[in-house]
Structures are given as C-alpha cells and as structure tokens.
Amino acid sequence: MTTDIDAVRAYLTGLQARIVSALAALDGKAFGEDAWSRDETGALRGRGAGAILEEGNIFERGGVNLSDVQGDRLPPTASAARPELAGRGFEAMGVSLVMHPRNPYCPTVHMNVRCFATTPDANGARHWWFGGGMDLTPYYGFEDDARHFHATCKNALDTIDVTLYPTFKAWCDRYFFLKHRNEPRGIGGVFFDDLADGGFDRCFAITRAVGDAFLAAYTPIIARRHALAYAARERDFQLYRRGRYVEFNLVFDRGTLFGLQSGGRTESILMSMPPLVRWRYNWQPEPGTPEAALYTDFLRPRDWV
Amino acid sequence: MTTDIDAVRAYLTGLQARIVSALAALDGKAFGEDAWSRDETGALRGRGAGAILEEGNIFERGGVNLSDVQGDRLPPTASAARPELAGRGFEAMGVSLVMHPRNPYCPTVHMNVRCFATTPDANGARHWWFGGGMDLTPYYGFEDDARHFHATCKNALDTIDVTLYPTFKAWCDRYFFLKHRNEPRGIGGVFFDDLADGGFDRCFAITRAVGDAFLAAYTPIIARRHALAYAARERDFQLYRRGRYVEFNLVFDRGTLFGLQSGGRTESILMSMPPLVRWRYNWQPEPGTPEAALYTDFLRPRDWV
C-alpha cells in the first residue's frame, strides 16, 4: 500500500475532463475555462481549473471545478473529526460539480470527490482521507429517475463491497438535510467523508467508483427530461425550491464552509449557487398538486433500489 | 434604575405598529399579518407578530417582525461574549425589519432593535443587554441618500451622547462586511450589541433613539427614488447584488444564525431573503459605469456626515 497522491491528482484531472466533455456534448454549448493559481503566505496556496457553463441550452448555470491546494494549517472544518491533526499543514484536491438545468423537470445535481493529506511529518508519515458523493435535487420528482440514480450508485459501489451503498446512502440522507426546514435537500444519493479504513488503494478505488459513475447516473435523466414542456408555474416552483439549495450550501455545507473559512476562492466555491432564485413567505403547495407530491413522495428518505 | 422588561415589550410593540403603518401608507398596499405562538419543551417558546409585504407597489418583499421568545438555555451565539451565562434561561424580544424595494434605485434597508435578559437567579438578579442598528444597502449609490441616512442616525444618537454615533458607525462597518468578498454589505449605518454600560434606562434610551429614527432615515430616500425610470440593465444588477445580501445573512449574520441555531421560526428569520436573486460567475462591472461606481464610491467605509 502506498500513499500515491500524484495518482489521485492524475485521476481527478482526467475525471474533470471527461465530465466536462460529456456535459458540453449534451448541452451543445462549450464550458468556459477559468484556470487560477495563487501563492499567498498565510492563505491557501494552489491552483484550480474551473469549467463554467452559463446560459447553456440545457444548463442554466453550472460548473465542474478541479482544485489542488495546500495550506499551512488544517482549518477547523477539516480537523473536527481528528483533533490530533489540528494545525497541521495539508494538501487537498478534488473535483466538485453542481449543474442547475433550466427545465424544472430536470433535477439539479451535485458530485464531489476529494482527497486530503497532511504534509509528511519528521518520519515521512502522513495522514490522508477521502471523501465524496453525489446527490440529486429534483423540482418535480420522477420515481424512475430516483431509482436510476440510486441504482447506478449502488451498482458502482457493489463491485467493491456491498455494504458501502447502504452506508453511504444513509449518510447522504443525514448530511443533506436542512434542519431549519426539517426537510431533505433532495432525494439523496451517496455521501462519505473521512474515509481511510482498509488502506489507501481501497479508499481511492471507492472514490473512483463514485466519480466514474456520475455521468451514467445523471445524463440519462437529463436526456429524457430536458425537452419536456413547462410553463410559468413550474418555473416559479423551481426558482422557489432553488432557495433551499442556497440555504443548505451557505448554512450547512461543510465544503462551502471549509472553502470560505480557509480563504478559498469565493467564485469557485459559490459556483454552486443557482442562477436565479426566489424566496416567498411561508409558501406551501396545495395538497394534491405535483408540487405537493415533491414533498410527500420525494423529500423523505426512501429505499430507491 | 430598574430592569423593566415590560416597558421594552410595550415600546417594541408600538414601534412595529408605527413602522408598519408608515411603510404601508408609503407603498399603498397593506402588510399581511402573521401572528404565531408556540410552546414546545426543549425549544424556543414564545410568540411573534410578523407583518409581511410581498408584491407591493414599491416594496417587492419585506417584513417587520416582532418577536418575544423565551428559552431554557442561551444559545452559543448569544453567550459567546459572556461565557459565565452559558446555559442560562433567557428571554429575547425585538423588532427586526428588512425591506427590498423593486426599483433598483431604491436601497434595501435593515433595522433591528432587541433586548436580551436572563431569567432571574435565586436572588432575583438578572443580566440584560440591548442591541440594534440600521444599515442601508444601495444598488446604485446616491451621496445625498447616504448622507441623509447617516445624519439621521447621528442626530438621533447625539441627543444622548455624541460619542455613540462614531462608535456605532464604525461597528456597523466592521459587522456588515463580507469577508469572503472583502466587501462591505452596503454603506453601513449604525450597529451595537451587548450594550449594558451606563444602566438599563440609558441603554433602553439609546435603543429607542435608533428605533425611533428609522422612518425618518429611510422613507425620504424611497419617496424621492421609487419613481425613477430603470431598465433591464439596472434590474439585472440589482438581482446580482442581492446575492451578496443572501450571502451575508446566511453565512455571517449573528441574528440569523442565532435564530436558526435556537430553533427559531424559519420563515420569520428568512423574511430577510430578497424576493428574486441572481448569481453569475466572476462578474465584474465595466470601469466607468454606474455599477462600477457602487464599488468604488460606496462600498468602502466613508465618513458620510
């Protein structure tokens, strides 16, 4: 077993390229590229490559970010689970994506795979862990879509260990939950963090299984929903529900808070924000409507496979 | 000197009524009223009276909330400055308002006055403190408006102590600052918290000075700007800038975090969210435009009076 951080870096670089290429082909509009690097003392150093799509044919806004950063001190969000490492130097790399389609029948998706490693100590030893997952946030639910998304995640993880999907699925349901709304963010998917059990090679393989499954999990859903006709009512509900996405990411999301706390690049972190969002006071859907069905049938933990 | 919490309650009740009446007259549309109360063990108990305006003639969304709550344990945001009180029972009451006008030439405004008090101990002693302030967030800046707003705050506070305005003005500039953007939220105003120096009567008087000054500080600005013609460009910039308001309130605002942490009423707390908001990747105004002038001339601490 090795701790081959360079192999992780190479995998993530390739993963971003594959995903951007496939989503651009699906949309018909190329992503804009925005590479950045910085080397400031006292802050996060490193580089990133953002691929951003705005006002596409299918995607109203989205991005697939690759980041590869180093810091002198692990921030509190990263060392919370392992206080003995507080203040250690680290590197962190990951691919993170959020895609917000324009059509309200198309779900928003989030996927992230990442690796943390502390800088080697005097003996050359380093701590490392992986994290990642993907989750789906529909505005109008389709059971077929939810089953397909979850089944793709399950099949990918089952090739390594059949206990992974149930564990990561439940973890996702717990993580993507808006406490102040008593409401899940969407229909979930898989989520894992602080993964180090079983050695580097196994954890890296699990992370790859999730990253590699993303396109198969999401793009068929977009292909079959993006041309569905919709009207102002559906658009309005989508904008309203996007407010929940904002609330989750800014109030609860560990990655967002890590980025903002550690002096990360704000525009890259907030790439996850939806393009257009509405808030309305104390709004509730009428019982029996498709909007009410989202709450009753989809925004609750369910066994989808 | 007394600790007359009932007098604070009466003042706040009257203040809400006066403000709602004046803003409704200005807008021409009545606020909706939404009283609530709850009595749950383990959570926040109490009652509130929300006055909400949506899709008004001038105000696209806004609210003036009165809340009067009790809890068994001070939440961390409230006891941070006085750890010896951590876990004590408390009551908290306040009036909090945010108004988002539709016209991009009209600034968004926030005002809050509040009082915290711990429940009396075995000797009948209780700790109390006041907080409050108001601040203005223009989309297109007008120096006259900024001077008027600040001068009104200054004049109100000068009647009590001429050192208050400079202190509270600087505090406001520090507090309403988006660290991740390195950018103030707006042109500031006044802000104070944990105010207990000089006795209850004096602190209550300072708090009243701020609350009583609100209408004179804000409504003349709306009266002279609400009919200015604007086009899609100005509207678009307004929606983009409203994103900063969301970011501040969900990531930094102590009142919002206190509310969400302590199990407060989500719809009342998030009344502050703008009605419609846009995010756009890495956008910057063209130099020399009115949009650029907001950043260069208004979004920096200035002595306005």
Side-chain angles (χ1 to χ4, degrees):
Chain A
M1 286 198 301
T2 58
T3 307
D4 190 351
I5 297 294
D6 288 337
V8 178
R9 185 175 285 115
Y11 169 74
L12 294 172
T13 303
L15 179 68
Q16 184 201 30
R18 277 188 287 144
I19 290 174
V20 168
S21 172
L23 293 180
L26 183 63
D27 188 273
K29 180 175 177 178
F31 283 63
E33 292 180 15
D34 187 21
W36 54 271
S37 67
R38 68 180 192 189
D39 186 7
E40 294 168 30
T41 47
L44 222 53
R45 303 178 297 278
R47 61 190 186 81
I52 311 297
L53 187 59
E54 289 187 303
E55 302 294 333
N57 297 298
I58 290 176
F59 297 108
E60 193 174 345
R61 185 172 197 243
V64 187
N65 284 337
L66 174 70
S67 64
D68 184 2
V69 299
Q70 300 86 43
D72 294 330
R73 298 173 61 84
L74 271 175
T77 45
S79 60
R82 45 188 82 68
E84 74 281 9
L85 300 182
R88 287 277 286 269
F90 69 98
E91 51 189 323
M93 59 192 72
V95 168
S96 183
L97 76 81
V98 172
M99 299 301 298
H100 293 286
R102 180 176 290 102
N103 189 311
Y105 292 114
C106 291
T108 286
V109 74
H110 161 251
M111 192 279 288
N112 171 249
V113 283
R114 58 191 178 274
C115 179
F116 264 81
T118 58
T119 46
D121 65 18
N123 303 317
R126 61 197 315 188
H127 294 263
W128 53 263
W129 60 98
F130 289 88
M134 64 177 105
D135 68 289
L136 199 70
T137 306
Y139 303 92
Y140 290 87
F142 293 94
E143 305 228 342
D144 281 355
D145 296 352
R147 277 193 293 269
H148 168 79
F149 189 81
H150 275 272
T152 309
C153 292
K154 179 179 189 299
N155 292 340
L157 289 165
D158 281 357
T159 62
I160 299 172
D161 181 338
V162 295
T163 69
L164 293 173
Y165 170 77
T167 305
F168 293 177
K169 192 272 186 195
W171 201 341
C172 192
D173 286 338
R174 286 194 304 275
Y175 182 81
F176 290 104
F177 189 81
L178 287 78
K179 292 190 200 79
H180 64 296
R181 300 281 189 184
N182 194 31
E183 194 180 283
R185 175 161 96 168
I187 60 133
V190 289
F191 180 88
F192 63 98
D193 202 356
D194 304 315
L195 184 75
D197 279 353
F200 187 88
D201 291 348
R202 181 174 189 271
C203 294
F204 184 20
I206 290 168
T207 304
R208 287 198 308 274
V210 170
D212 292 344
F214 167 73
L215 286 170
Y218 184 59
T219 58
I221 294 170
I222 298 303
R224 65 192 183 218
R225 306 296 173 203
H226 79 87
L228 290 180
Y230 66 91
R233 169 184 174 146
E234 290 79 18
R235 175 68 171 169
D236 197 53
F237 184 59
Q238 177 196 44
L239 299 193
Y240 173 77
R241 290 293 314 169
R242 282 176 172 173
R244 300 293 208 273
Y245 217 82
V246 173
E247 292 173 22
F248 182 83
N249 282 17
L250 295 185
V251 176
F252 296 108
D253 186 57
R254 187 173 166 178
T256 302
L257 299 177
F258 163 73
L260 297 176
Q261 275 184 10
S262 62
R265 187 168 179 265
T266 294
E267 286 292 338
S268 301
I269 298 162
L270 298 184
M271 175 274 296
S272 64
M273 294 292 103
L276 194 64
V277 185
R278 186 185 299 287
W279 273 273
R280 183 179 296 134
Y281 185 74
N282 219 9
W283 185 83
Q284 304 287 342
E286 295 280 328
T289 60
E291 292 79 16
L294 178 74
Y295 294 78
T296 54
D297 299 351
F298 292 88
L299 296 183
R300 57 185 175 86
R302 284 177 61 179
D303 288 326
W304 288 107
V305 290
Chain B
M1 287 197 302
T2 60
T3 306
D4 190 350
I5 297 295
D6 287 337
V8 178
R9 184 175 285 114
Y11 169 73
L12 294 172
T13 304
L15 179 67
Q16 185 201 31
R18 277 188 288 144
I19 290 174
V20 168
S21 172
L23 294 179
L26 183 63
D27 188 89
K29 181 175 176 178
F31 283 63
E33 291 180 17
D34 187 20
W36 55 271
S37 67
R38 66 180 194 189
D39 187 8
E40 294 169 29
T41 46
L44 222 53
R45 304 179 295 280
R47 60 188 187 84
I52 310 298
L53 187 59
E54 289 188 303
E55 302 295 333
N57 297 298
I58 290 175
F59 297 107
E60 193 174 346
R61 184 170 198 245
V64 187
N65 285 337
L66 174 70
S67 65
D68 184 2
V69 299
Q70 300 85 43
D72 293 330
R73 299 173 61 84
L74 272 176
T77 45
S79 60
R82 45 188 80 70
E84 73 280 10
L85 300 182
R88 288 275 286 269
F90 69 98
E91 51 188 324
M93 58 192 73
V95 167
S96 184
L97 75 81
V98 173
M99 299 302 298
H100 293 286
R102 181 177 289 102
N103 189 312
Y105 292 114
C106 291
T108 286
V109 74
H110 161 251
M111 192 279 289
N112 171 247
V113 282
R114 59 192 179 275
C115 179
F116 263 81
T118 58
T119 46
D121 65 16
N123 303 319
R126 60 198 314 187
H127 295 263
W128 52 263
W129 61 98
F130 288 87
M134 63 177 105
D135 68 289
L136 199 70
T137 305
Y139 303 92
Y140 290 87
F142 293 93
E143 305 229 342
D144 281 354
D145 295 353
R147 277 192 294 268
H148 168 79
F149 189 80
H150 276 272
T152 308
C153 292
K154 179 178 189 299
N155 293 339
L157 290 165
D158 280 357
T159 62
I160 299 172
D161 182 338
V162 295
T163 68
L164 293 172
Y165 170 77
T167 306
F168 292 178
K169 192 272 186 195
W171 200 341
C172 191
D173 287 339
R174 287 194 304 276
Y175 182 80
F176 290 103
F177 189 81
L178 287 78
K179 292 191 197 76
H180 65 295
R181 300 281 189 184
N182 193 32
E183 194 180 283
R185 176 161 95 170
I187 60 133
V190 288
F191 181 88
F192 63 98
D193 202 356
D194 304 315
L195 184 75
D197 279 352
F200 186 88
D201 291 347
R202 181 174 188 270
C203 294
F204 183 21
I206 291 168
T207 304
R208 288 197 309 273
V210 170
D212 291 345
F214 168 73
L215 286 170
Y218 184 59
T219 57
I221 295 171
I222 297 304
R224 64 192 183 219
R225 307 295 172 203
H226 79 87
L228 290 180
Y230 66 91
R233 168 185 175 144
E234 290 79 19
R235 175 68 171 169
D236 197 53
F237 184 61
Q238 178 196 45
L239 299 193
Y240 172 77
R241 290 293 315 170
R242 281 176 174 173
R244 299 293 208 275
Y245 217 82
V246 174
E247 292 173 22
F248 182 84
N249 281 17
L250 295 184
V251 176
F252 296 107
D253 186 58
R254 188 172 167 180
T256 303
L257 298 177
F258 163 73
L260 297 178
Q261 274 184 10
S262 61
R265 187 168 180 264
T266 294
E267 286 292 339
S268 301
I269 298 162
L270 297 184
M271 174 274 295
S272 64
M273 294 291 103
L276 195 64
V277 185
R278 187 184 297 287
W279 273 272
R280 183 178 297 134
Y281 185 73
N282 218 9
W283 185 83
Q284 303 288 342
E286 295 280 327
T289 59
E291 291 79 16
L294 178 74
Y295 294 79
T296 55
D297 300 350
F298 292 88
L299 295 183
R300 57 185 175 85
R302 283 176 62 179
D303 288 326
W304 288 106
V305 290

